[in-house]
PDB file of all heavy atoms in Angstrom:
ATOM      1  N   CYS B   1      41.137  47.487  -9.790  1.00 98.00           N
ATOM      2  CA  CYS B   1      41.858  48.488 -10.608  1.00 98.00           C
ATOM      3  C   CYS B   1      40.693  49.334 -11.200  1.00 98.00           C
ATOM      4  O   CYS B   1      39.538  49.254 -10.819  1.00 98.00           O
ATOM      5  CB  CYS B   1      42.664  47.900 -11.654  1.00 98.00           C
ATOM      6  SG  CYS B   1      41.713  46.961 -12.904  1.00 98.00           S
ATOM      7  N   HIS B   2      41.051  50.266 -11.886  1.00 98.00           N
ATOM      8  CA  HIS B   2      40.070  51.193 -12.580  1.00 98.00           C
ATOM      9  C   HIS B   2      38.970  50.444 -13.198  1.00 98.00           C
ATOM     10  O   HIS B   2      37.781  50.948 -13.254  1.00 98.00           O
ATOM     11  CB  HIS B   2      40.757  52.260 -13.517  1.00 98.00           C
ATOM     12  CG  HIS B   2      41.116  51.614 -14.762  1.00 98.00           C
ATOM     13  ND1 HIS B   2      42.357  51.040 -14.891  1.00 98.00           N
ATOM     14  CD2 HIS B   2      40.522  51.401 -15.941  1.00 98.00           C
ATOM     15  CE1 HIS B   2      42.497  50.465 -16.200  1.00 98.00           C
ATOM     16  NE2 HIS B   2      41.325  50.783 -16.812  1.00 98.00           N
ATOM     17  N   ASP B   3      39.170  49.217 -13.877  1.00 97.00           N
ATOM     18  CA  ASP B   3      38.298  48.510 -14.610  1.00 97.00           C
ATOM     19  C   ASP B   3      37.728  47.439 -13.752  1.00 97.00           C
ATOM     20  O   ASP B   3      38.346  46.372 -13.534  1.00 97.00           O
ATOM     21  CB  ASP B   3      39.074  47.966 -15.841  1.00 97.00           C
ATOM     22  CG  ASP B   3      38.156  47.243 -16.770  1.00 97.00           C
ATOM     23  OD1 ASP B   3      36.796  47.313 -16.569  1.00 97.00           O
ATOM     24  OD2 ASP B   3      38.587  46.792 -17.822  1.00 97.00           O
ATOM     25  N   GLY B   4      36.485  47.588 -13.328  1.00 97.00           N
ATOM     26  CA  GLY B   4      35.832  46.732 -12.428  1.00 97.00           C
ATOM     27  C   GLY B   4      35.281  47.302 -11.238  1.00 97.00           C
ATOM     28  O   GLY B   4      35.193  48.480 -10.976  1.00 97.00           O
ATOM     29  N   PHE B   5      34.811  46.568 -10.196  1.00 98.00           N
ATOM     30  CA  PHE B   5      34.259  46.905  -9.067  1.00 98.00           C
ATOM     31  C   PHE B   5      35.492  47.584  -8.213  1.00 98.00           C
ATOM     32  O   PHE B   5      36.641  47.194  -8.197  1.00 98.00           O
ATOM     33  CB  PHE B   5      33.899  45.772  -8.110  1.00 98.00           C
ATOM     34  CG  PHE B   5      32.455  45.368  -8.506  1.00 98.00           C
ATOM     35  CD1 PHE B   5      32.044  43.902  -8.421  1.00 98.00           C
ATOM     36  CD2 PHE B   5      31.477  46.158  -8.854  1.00 98.00           C
ATOM     37  CE1 PHE B   5      30.738  43.587  -8.553  1.00 98.00           C
ATOM     38  CE2 PHE B   5      30.227  45.843  -9.171  1.00 98.00           C
ATOM     39  CZ  PHE B   5      29.870  44.438  -9.057  1.00 98.00           C
ATOM     40  N   THR B   6      35.063  48.760  -7.376  1.00 98.00           N
ATOM     41  CA  THR B   6      35.979  49.100  -6.390  1.00 98.00           C
ATOM     42  C   THR B   6      36.005  48.089  -5.302  1.00 98.00           C
ATOM     43  O   THR B   6      35.204  47.164  -5.240  1.00 98.00           O
ATOM     44  CB  THR B   6      35.524  50.466  -5.840  1.00 98.00           C
ATOM     45  OG1 THR B   6      34.282  50.288  -5.108  1.00 98.00           O
ATOM     46  CG2 THR B   6      35.299  51.484  -6.927  1.00 98.00           C
ATOM     47  N   LEU B   7      36.888  48.191  -4.427  1.00 98.00           N
ATOM     48  CA  LEU B   7      36.980  47.227  -3.201  1.00 98.00           C
ATOM     49  C   LEU B   7      35.743  47.351  -2.402  1.00 98.00           C
ATOM     50  O   LEU B   7      35.144  46.239  -1.965  1.00 98.00           O
ATOM     51  CB  LEU B   7      38.244  47.550  -2.400  1.00 98.00           C
ATOM     52  CG  LEU B   7      38.584  46.635  -1.257  1.00 98.00           C
ATOM     53  CD1 LEU B   7      38.766  45.202  -1.836  1.00 98.00           C
ATOM     54  CD2 LEU B   7      39.791  47.057  -0.479  1.00 98.00           C
ATOM     55  N   GLN B   8      35.175  48.475  -2.140  1.00 98.00           N
ATOM     56  CA  GLN B   8      34.022  48.631  -1.295  1.00 98.00           C
ATOM     57  C   GLN B   8      32.811  47.864  -2.172  1.00 98.00           C
ATOM     58  O   GLN B   8      32.048  47.170  -1.526  1.00 98.00           O
ATOM     59  CB  GLN B   8      33.595  50.070  -1.133  1.00 98.00           C
ATOM     60  CG  GLN B   8      32.331  50.290  -0.419  1.00 98.00           C
ATOM     61  CD  GLN B   8      32.201  49.873   0.995  1.00 98.00           C
ATOM     62  OE1 GLN B   8      33.123  50.193   1.760  1.00 98.00           O
ATOM     63  NE2 GLN B   8      31.335  49.024   1.425  1.00 98.00           N
ATOM     64  N   ASP B   9      32.733  48.083  -3.388  1.00 98.00           N
ATOM     65  CA  ASP B   9      31.667  47.417  -4.183  1.00 98.00           C
ATOM     66  C   ASP B   9      31.839  45.936  -4.316  1.00 98.00           C
ATOM     67  O   ASP B   9      30.834  45.187  -4.469  1.00 98.00           O
ATOM     68  CB  ASP B   9      31.537  48.077  -5.525  1.00 98.00           C
ATOM     69  CG  ASP B   9      30.968  49.466  -5.516  1.00 98.00           C
ATOM     70  OD1 ASP B   9      30.569  49.946  -4.431  1.00 98.00           O
ATOM     71  OD2 ASP B   9      30.991  50.226  -6.550  1.00 98.00           O
ATOM     72  N   LEU B  10      33.165  45.504  -4.283  1.00 98.00           N
ATOM     73  CA  LEU B  10      33.385  44.076  -4.351  1.00 98.00           C
ATOM     74  C   LEU B  10      32.769  43.314  -3.222  1.00 98.00           C
ATOM     75  O   LEU B  10      32.297  42.114  -3.364  1.00 98.00           O
ATOM     76  CB  LEU B  10      34.857  43.820  -4.320  1.00 98.00           C
ATOM     77  CG  LEU B  10      35.427  42.427  -4.676  1.00 98.00           C
ATOM     78  CD1 LEU B  10      35.064  42.071  -6.157  1.00 98.00           C
ATOM     79  CD2 LEU B  10      36.885  42.362  -4.508  1.00 98.00           C
ATOM     80  N   VAL B  11      32.630  43.878  -2.079  1.00 98.00           N
ATOM     81  CA  VAL B  11      32.035  43.356  -0.840  1.00 98.00           C
ATOM     82  C   VAL B  11      30.584  43.819  -0.693  1.00 98.00           C
ATOM     83  O   VAL B  11      30.074  43.376   0.369  1.00 98.00           O
ATOM     84  CB  VAL B  11      32.816  43.571   0.363  1.00 98.00           C
ATOM     85  CG1 VAL B  11      34.286  43.013   0.164  1.00 98.00           C
ATOM     86  CG2 VAL B  11      32.874  45.016   0.792  1.00 98.00           C
ATOM     87  N   SER B  12      30.012  44.529  -1.560  1.00 98.00           N
ATOM     88  CA  SER B  12      28.675  45.104  -1.413  1.00 98.00           C
ATOM     89  C   SER B  12      27.700  44.660  -2.508  1.00 98.00           C
ATOM     90  O   SER B  12      26.457  45.051  -2.284  1.00 98.00           O
ATOM     91  CB  SER B  12      28.716  46.584  -1.305  1.00 98.00           C
ATOM     92  OG  SER B  12      29.667  47.037  -0.317  1.00 98.00           O
ATOM     93  N   TYR B  13      28.153  44.155  -3.562  1.00 98.00           N
ATOM     94  CA  TYR B  13      27.348  43.832  -4.693  1.00 98.00           C
ATOM     95  C   TYR B  13      27.602  42.413  -5.232  1.00 98.00           C
ATOM     96  O   TYR B  13      28.775  42.019  -5.383  1.00 98.00           O
ATOM     97  CB  TYR B  13      27.423  44.864  -5.836  1.00 98.00           C
ATOM     98  CG  TYR B  13      27.037  46.264  -5.480  1.00 98.00           C
ATOM     99  CD1 TYR B  13      27.946  47.197  -4.897  1.00 98.00           C
ATOM    100  CD2 TYR B  13      25.733  46.707  -5.653  1.00 98.00           C
ATOM    101  CE1 TYR B  13      27.506  48.429  -4.542  1.00 98.00           C
ATOM    102  CE2 TYR B  13      25.301  47.923  -5.307  1.00 98.00           C
ATOM    103  CZ  TYR B  13      26.101  48.865  -4.806  1.00 98.00           C
ATOM    104  OH  TYR B  13      25.739  50.047  -4.404  1.00 98.00           O
ATOM    105  N   GLN B  14      26.455  41.767  -5.483  1.00 97.00           N
ATOM    106  CA  GLN B  14      26.588  40.359  -5.939  1.00 97.00           C
ATOM    107  C   GLN B  14      26.661  40.328  -7.495  1.00 97.00           C
ATOM    108  O   GLN B  14      27.143  39.508  -8.177  1.00 97.00           O
ATOM    109  CB  GLN B  14      25.421  39.525  -5.630  1.00 97.00           C
ATOM    110  CG  GLN B  14      25.676  38.005  -5.545  1.00 97.00           C
ATOM    111  CD  GLN B  14      26.453  37.547  -4.300  1.00 97.00           C
ATOM    112  OE1 GLN B  14      26.461  38.198  -3.299  1.00 97.00           O
ATOM    113  NE2 GLN B  14      27.109  36.564  -4.415  1.00 97.00           N
ATOM    114  N   ARG B  15      26.236  41.507  -8.130  1.00 97.00           N
ATOM    115  CA  ARG B  15      26.115  41.570  -9.562  1.00 97.00           C
ATOM    116  C   ARG B  15      26.401  43.016 -10.041  1.00 97.00           C
ATOM    117  O   ARG B  15      26.325  43.904  -9.173  1.00 97.00           O
ATOM    118  CB  ARG B  15      24.766  41.133 -10.113  1.00 97.00           C
ATOM    119  CG  ARG B  15      23.608  41.901  -9.556  1.00 97.00           C
ATOM    120  CD  ARG B  15      22.326  41.215 -10.084  1.00 97.00           C
ATOM    121  NE  ARG B  15      21.248  42.099  -9.599  1.00 97.00           N
ATOM    122  CZ  ARG B  15      20.576  42.048  -8.517  1.00 97.00           C
ATOM    123  NH1 ARG B  15      21.173  41.394  -7.544  1.00 97.00           N
ATOM    124  NH2 ARG B  15      19.551  42.793  -8.099  1.00 97.00           N
ATOM    125  N   LYS B  16      26.752  43.363 -11.186  1.00 98.00           N
ATOM    126  CA  LYS B  16      27.152  44.590 -11.753  1.00 98.00           C
ATOM    127  C   LYS B  16      25.784  45.420 -11.826  1.00 98.00           C
ATOM    128  O   LYS B  16      24.702  44.906 -11.994  1.00 98.00           O
ATOM    129  CB  LYS B  16      27.781  44.561 -13.047  1.00 98.00           C
ATOM    130  CG  LYS B  16      26.962  43.980 -14.169  1.00 98.00           C
ATOM    131  CD  LYS B  16      27.776  43.732 -15.398  1.00 98.00           C
ATOM    132  CE  LYS B  16      26.795  43.252 -16.529  1.00 98.00           C
ATOM    133  NZ  LYS B  16      27.607  42.977 -17.840  1.00 98.00           N
ATOM    134  N   HIS B  17      25.932  46.719 -11.732  1.00 98.00           N
ATOM    135  CA  HIS B  17      24.762  47.720 -11.956  1.00 98.00           C
ATOM    136  C   HIS B  17      25.223  48.873 -12.882  1.00 98.00           C
ATOM    137  O   HIS B  17      25.558  49.924 -12.358  1.00 98.00           O
ATOM    138  CB  HIS B  17      24.310  48.221 -10.586  1.00 98.00           C
ATOM    139  CG  HIS B  17      23.710  47.162  -9.689  1.00 98.00           C
ATOM    140  ND1 HIS B  17      22.400  46.768  -9.692  1.00 98.00           N
ATOM    141  CD2 HIS B  17      24.293  46.218  -8.828  1.00 98.00           C
ATOM    142  CE1 HIS B  17      22.192  45.889  -8.759  1.00 98.00           C
ATOM    143  NE2 HIS B  17      23.413  45.550  -8.272  1.00 98.00           N
ATOM    144  N   ASN B  18      25.251  48.526 -14.145  1.00 98.00           N
ATOM    145  CA  ASN B  18      25.810  49.510 -15.149  1.00 98.00           C
ATOM    146  C   ASN B  18      24.774  50.249 -15.926  1.00 98.00           C
ATOM    147  O   ASN B  18      25.116  50.776 -16.933  1.00 98.00           O
ATOM    148  CB  ASN B  18      26.851  48.693 -15.991  1.00 98.00           C
ATOM    149  CG  ASN B  18      28.143  48.158 -15.212  1.00 98.00           C
ATOM    150  OD1 ASN B  18      28.121  48.286 -14.221  1.00 98.00           O
ATOM    151  ND2 ASN B  18      28.894  47.465 -16.031  1.00 98.00           N
ATOM    152  N   GLU B  19      23.501  50.234 -15.383  1.00 97.00           N
ATOM    153  CA  GLU B  19      22.427  50.832 -16.129  1.00 97.00           C
ATOM    154  C   GLU B  19      22.835  52.338 -16.671  1.00 97.00           C
ATOM    155  O   GLU B  19      22.378  52.840 -17.705  1.00 97.00           O
ATOM    156  CB  GLU B  19      21.143  50.774 -15.436  1.00 97.00           C
ATOM    157  CG  GLU B  19      20.618  49.429 -15.219  1.00 97.00           C
ATOM    158  CD  GLU B  19      21.252  48.718 -14.052  1.00 97.00           C
ATOM    159  OE1 GLU B  19      22.161  49.222 -13.351  1.00 97.00           O
ATOM    160  OE2 GLU B  19      20.964  47.525 -13.924  1.00 97.00           O
ATOM    161  N   ALA B  20      23.532  53.035 -15.805  1.00 97.00           N
ATOM    162  CA  ALA B  20      23.832  54.483 -16.171  1.00 97.00           C
ATOM    163  C   ALA B  20      24.569  54.578 -17.376  1.00 97.00           C
ATOM    164  O   ALA B  20      24.717  55.699 -17.972  1.00 97.00           O
ATOM    165  CB  ALA B  20      24.557  55.123 -14.993  1.00 97.00           C
ATOM    166  N   ASN B  21      25.252  53.541 -17.831  1.00 97.00           N
ATOM    167  CA  ASN B  21      26.116  53.642 -18.996  1.00 97.00           C
ATOM    168  C   ASN B  21      25.388  53.562 -20.334  1.00 97.00           C
ATOM    169  O   ASN B  21      25.927  53.545 -21.407  1.00 97.00           O
ATOM    170  CB  ASN B  21      27.148  52.474 -19.010  1.00 97.00           C
ATOM    171  CG  ASN B  21      28.085  52.586 -17.906  1.00 97.00           C
ATOM    172  OD1 ASN B  21      28.180  53.568 -17.207  1.00 97.00           O
ATOM    173  ND2 ASN B  21      28.889  51.555 -17.643  1.00 97.00           N
ATOM    174  N   ASN B  22      24.036  53.368 -20.217  1.00 96.00           N
ATOM    175  CA  ASN B  22      23.116  53.299 -21.494  1.00 96.00           C
ATOM    176  C   ASN B  22      23.473  52.150 -22.442  1.00 96.00           C
ATOM    177  O   ASN B  22      23.289  52.315 -23.540  1.00 96.00           O
ATOM    178  CB  ASN B  22      23.154  54.639 -22.291  1.00 96.00           C
ATOM    179  CG  ASN B  22      22.654  55.783 -21.345  1.00 96.00           C
ATOM    180  OD1 ASN B  22      21.911  55.646 -20.502  1.00 96.00           O
ATOM    181  ND2 ASN B  22      23.120  57.029 -21.838  1.00 96.00           N
ATOM    182  N   GLU B  23      23.910  51.094 -21.787  1.00 96.00           N
ATOM    183  CA  GLU B  23      24.144  49.856 -22.668  1.00 96.00           C
ATOM    184  C   GLU B  23      23.384  48.621 -22.063  1.00 96.00           C
ATOM    185  O   GLU B  23      23.739  47.538 -22.275  1.00 96.00           O
ATOM    186  CB  GLU B  23      25.657  49.515 -22.697  1.00 96.00           C
ATOM    187  CG  GLU B  23      26.513  50.640 -23.230  1.00 96.00           C
ATOM    188  CD  GLU B  23      27.978  50.301 -23.378  1.00 96.00           C
ATOM    189  OE1 GLU B  23      28.386  49.171 -23.680  1.00 96.00           O
ATOM    190  OE2 GLU B  23      28.816  51.176 -23.029  1.00 96.00           O
ATOM    191  N   ARG B  24      22.186  48.918 -21.473  1.00 96.00           N
ATOM    192  CA  ARG B  24      21.173  47.918 -20.946  1.00 96.00           C
ATOM    193  C   ARG B  24      22.057  46.959 -19.977  1.00 96.00           C
ATOM    194  O   ARG B  24      21.686  45.860 -20.001  1.00 96.00           O
ATOM    195  CB  ARG B  24      20.653  47.257 -22.170  1.00 96.00           C
ATOM    196  CG  ARG B  24      19.856  48.145 -23.142  1.00 96.00           C
ATOM    197  CD  ARG B  24      19.123  47.332 -24.165  1.00 96.00           C
ATOM    198  NE  ARG B  24      20.064  46.622 -24.933  1.00 96.00           N
ATOM    199  CZ  ARG B  24      20.765  47.013 -26.041  1.00 96.00           C
ATOM    200  NH1 ARG B  24      20.691  48.275 -26.334  1.00 96.00           N
ATOM    201  NH2 ARG B  24      21.577  46.270 -26.634  1.00 96.00           N
TER     202      ARG B  24
END
């Protein structure tokens, strides 16, 4: 859904990469 990985990212990333959100 809007909140979380997209389907493409669900199969492409082992961990989140949210650095652009400025919340470390």
Side-chain angles (χ1 to χ4, degrees):
C1 63
H2 70 275
D3 187 3
F5 279 145
T6 67
L7 188 58
Q8 177 68 52
D9 288 354
L10 190 67
V11 302
S12 304
Y13 293 90
Q14 205 77 25
R15 59 187 185 279
K16 65 185 183 183
H17 296 267
N18 298 357
E19 291 81 5
N21 297 351
N22 295 340
E23 299 182 43
R24 300 185 302 278

